């Protein structure tokens, strides 16, 4: 697991403290976002119900932007870049360079020795902060909080999560390289901080939509493109993905291929939000109870069980329940030529974004006699010493 030195992923909304409500308190909203017309499973996945009037219209518009796939209108994007530079009091960049993915984009940036300094602060961060302050003052603390909750808050969590997944995917790929002279993970991380997130800035752009023209250039770019890097002499812009698949809660989700894919091959694989490898997904179609039991990683075993089906697994395994208590259900699978397989079925008390609760299966020693004893064992405790204050 990587240590995150910063969480902005190039996102000035996080730079400035995130999605603020009244009094500077961060507003957290679990609703996801989505839009019809996006590839894969998006459907109606992203929050439902809509706020009435102007705020509702802005939310619907920007959830569609956040979920959009396919080629950009490059003419519109480049006009938006010129407008964003002009609003910042800067001359337009001498040229605009296009890339097929955020990974290709960071490589293009690294290869441009004559790009000049980053002007992200002037083009994106300062205008955003000033507009937020202006709108907050105009609406008042309570009015701003209500407005944010009806617009940007509903898009914030999934947009931020997707941006972080892309960032991690880029850094993982850079870290795996061995060729001499290639862009390093450390250098790539620094360049990612200079990116503007385009369509993944939908949350805060939804909040400002219809409240002035200061951010019109940034909005025009976001409506058509993905991440981009503004510099004095050049802007590097990424195309949107060609495919995007998510579950009803807005998490990346696909069992038969990449959940997010760009046309140059950069892709992310996930099952219900959990990162997985292409090889892992390929093996799901050939799962057997034996393969599931052999998996040591509890998260991957959960994915396998979800894909295979819990009832099917129990039937195929000849499992029988041995007891139930407040900690879960103890199941035993008797194997004639090996020691019994004993597992505890536990339900995570913390709900998922869609309100559901994940079920986990914990492999415990064959001598385990109660679910409580099994769960205690996973913490290195005896049943008598296991007294959870809060189950998570």
């Amino acid at each position: 697991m990587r240590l995150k030195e910063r969480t902005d992923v190039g996102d000035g909304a996080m730079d400035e403290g995130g999605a603020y409500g009244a009094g500077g308190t961060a507003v957290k909203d679990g609703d996801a976002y989505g839009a019809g017309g996006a590839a894969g499973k998006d459907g109606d996945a992203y929050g439902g119900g809509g706020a009435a009037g102007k705020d509702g219209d802005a939310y619907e518009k920007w959830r569609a932007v956040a979920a959009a796939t396919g080629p950009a209108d490059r003419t519109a994007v480049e006009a938006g870049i010129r407008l964003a530079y002009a609003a910042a009091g800067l001359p337009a960049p001498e040229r605009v360079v296009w890339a097929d993915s955020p990974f290709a984009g960071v490589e293009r940036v690294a290869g441009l020795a004559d790009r000049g300094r980053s002007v992200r602060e002037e083009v994106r961060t300062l205008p955003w902060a000033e507009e937020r302050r202006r709108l907050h003052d105009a609406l008042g603390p309570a009015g701003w909080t209500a407005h944010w909750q009806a617009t940007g808050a509903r898009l914030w969590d999934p947009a931020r999560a997707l941006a972080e997944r892309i960032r991690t995917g880029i850094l993982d790929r850079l870290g795996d390289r061995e060729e001499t002279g290639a862009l390093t993970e450390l250098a790539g991380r620094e360049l990612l901080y200079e990116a503007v997130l385009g369509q993944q800035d939908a949350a805060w752009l939804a909040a400002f939509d219809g409240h002035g023209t200061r951010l019109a250039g940034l909005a025009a770019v976001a409506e058509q493109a993905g991440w981009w890097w503004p510099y004095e002499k050049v802007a590097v812009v990424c195309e949107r993905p060609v495919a995007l698949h998510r579950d009803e809660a807005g998490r990346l989700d696909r069992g038969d291929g990449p959940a997010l894919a760009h046309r140059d091959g950069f892709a992310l694989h996930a099952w219900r939000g959990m990162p997985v490898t292409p090889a892992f997904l390929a093996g799901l179609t050939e799962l057997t109870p034996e393969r599931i039991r052999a998996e040591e990683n509890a998260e991957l075993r959960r994915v396998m069980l979800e894909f295979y089906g819990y009832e099917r697994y129990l039937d195929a395994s000849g499992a029988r329940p041995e007891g139930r208590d407040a900690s879960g259900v103890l199941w035993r699978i008797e194997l004639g030529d090996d020691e019994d397989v004993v597992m505890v079925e536990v339900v995570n008390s913390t709900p998922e974004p869609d309100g559901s609760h994940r079920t986990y299966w914990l492999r415990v020693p064959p001598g385990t006699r109660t679910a409580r004893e099994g769960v205690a064992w996973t913490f290195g405790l005896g049943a008598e010493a296991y007294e959870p204050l809060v189950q998570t």
Side-chain angles (χ1 to χ4, degrees), residues 32 206 271 285:
W271 174 265
T285 57

Side-chain angles (χ1 to χ4, degrees), residues 48 121 128-129 135 143 157 171-172 196 200 210-211 230 238 258 261 264 280-281 307 355 357 359-360 368 388:
E121 185 82 1
W128 178 88
L135 187 56
D157 282 347
L171 295 178
D172 285 344
V196 180
Q200 287 156 29
H211 293 274
C238 300
D264 64 353
F280 177 84
L281 288 179
F307 190 91
H357 293 263
T359 298
Y360 290 87
T368 304

Side-chain angles (χ1 to χ4, degrees), residues 312-355:
R312 179 187 174 198
Y313 174 79
L314 295 175
D315 289 343
S317 301
R320 57 183 174 83
E322 289 228 322
R324 180 189 303 266
D325 57 37
S327 297
V329 180
L330 185 71
W331 293 87
R332 183 175 298 275
I333 303 171
E334 296 179 350
L335 302 176
D337 57 351
D338 201 351
E339 64 182 16
D340 291 355
V341 172
V342 180
M343 304 178 79
V344 180
E345 176 189 355
V346 295
V347 178
N348 188 356
S349 61
T350 302
E352 296 299 302
D354 62 357

Side-chain angles (χ1 to χ4, degrees), residues 14-337:
M14 297 182 215
D15 292 345
E16 303 299 332
Y20 284 140
T25 302
V27 177
K28 184 177 186 302
D29 192 302
D31 285 351
Y33 63 87
K41 302 179 183 177
D42 284 338
D44 213 9
Y46 283 75
K54 190 174 182 180
D55 284 352
D57 292 343
Y59 164 70
E60 293 295 339
K61 169 186 173 180
W62 286 101
R63 74 167 188 163
V65 169
T69 58
D73 179 339
R74 295 191 175 191
T75 300
V77 170
E78 294 179 16
I81 290 172
R82 291 191 295 271
L83 182 59
Y85 275 61
L90 297 171
E94 296 171 5
R95 57 197 172 111
V96 175
V97 176
W98 283 85
D100 285 339
S101 71
F103 181 80
V106 77
E107 287 204 308
R108 294 299 296 271
V109 169
L112 293 171
D114 61 343
R115 62 183 183 267
R117 68 177 182 88
S118 171
V119 294
R120 180 180 181 275
E121 185 82 1
E122 299 96 314
V123 168
R124 195 266 189 218
T125 304
L126 291 178
W128 178 88
E130 291 168 2
E131 285 301 287
R132 181 199 170 278
R133 188 178 302 113
R134 181 186 65 78
L135 187 56
H136 183 278
D137 291 346
L139 298 177
W144 165 257
T145 298
H147 173 68
W148 170 256
Q149 290 177 328
T151 54
R154 303 167 71 189
L155 308 176
W156 179 260
D157 282 347
R160 180 175 56 183
L162 181 56
E164 179 63 20
R165 282 295 316 279
I166 292 172
R167 173 182 182 269
T168 301
I170 292 170
L171 295 178
D172 285 344
R173 192 163 170 182
L174 292 176
D176 290 339
R177 285 177 152 181
E178 297 181 355
E179 56 264 42
T180 303
L183 179 64
T184 66
E185 180 182 350
L186 179 60
R189 179 182 287 110
E190 292 304 314
L191 292 177
L192 290 176
Y193 294 143
E194 298 176 355
V196 180
L197 301 189
Q199 68 180 132
Q200 287 156 29
D201 274 334
W204 62 267
L205 286 169
F208 297 133
D209 193 282
H211 293 274
T213 60
R214 175 82 181 278
L215 306 177
L218 291 170
V221 178
E223 287 179 27
Q224 288 291 328
W227 292 22
W228 65 288
W229 284 260
Y231 294 96
E232 281 182 300
K233 298 180 180 180
V234 62
V236 176
V237 191
C238 300
E239 289 281 1
R240 296 177 296 195
V242 295
L244 182 60
H245 299 258
R246 291 172 289 194
D247 65 10
E248 65 283 351
R251 300 169 297 188
L252 289 177
D253 179 40
R254 188 180 180 188
D256 59 353
L260 177 142
H262 284 265
R263 65 184 183 187
D264 64 353
F266 177 73
L268 299 175
H269 295 76
W271 174 265
R272 299 187 181 179
M274 180 182 172
V276 294
T277 65
F280 177 84
L281 288 179
L284 291 179
T285 57
E286 300 177 355
L287 281 178
T288 64
E290 292 75 20
R291 171 69 185 89
I292 295 172
R293 287 195 296 271
E295 176 55 56
E296 296 181 357
N297 184 297
E299 285 282 354
L300 294 181
R301 189 162 59 242
R302 175 187 59 78
V303 171
M304 291 176 170
L305 286 166
E306 287 179 350
F307 190 91
Y308 193 80
Y310 293 109
E311 292 186 10
R312 179 187 174 198
Y313 174 79
L314 295 175
D315 289 343
S317 301
R320 57 183 174 83
E322 289 228 322
R324 180 189 303 266
D325 57 37
S327 297
V329 180
L330 185 71
W331 293 87
R332 183 175 298 275
I333 303 171
E334 296 179 350
L335 302 176
D337 57 351

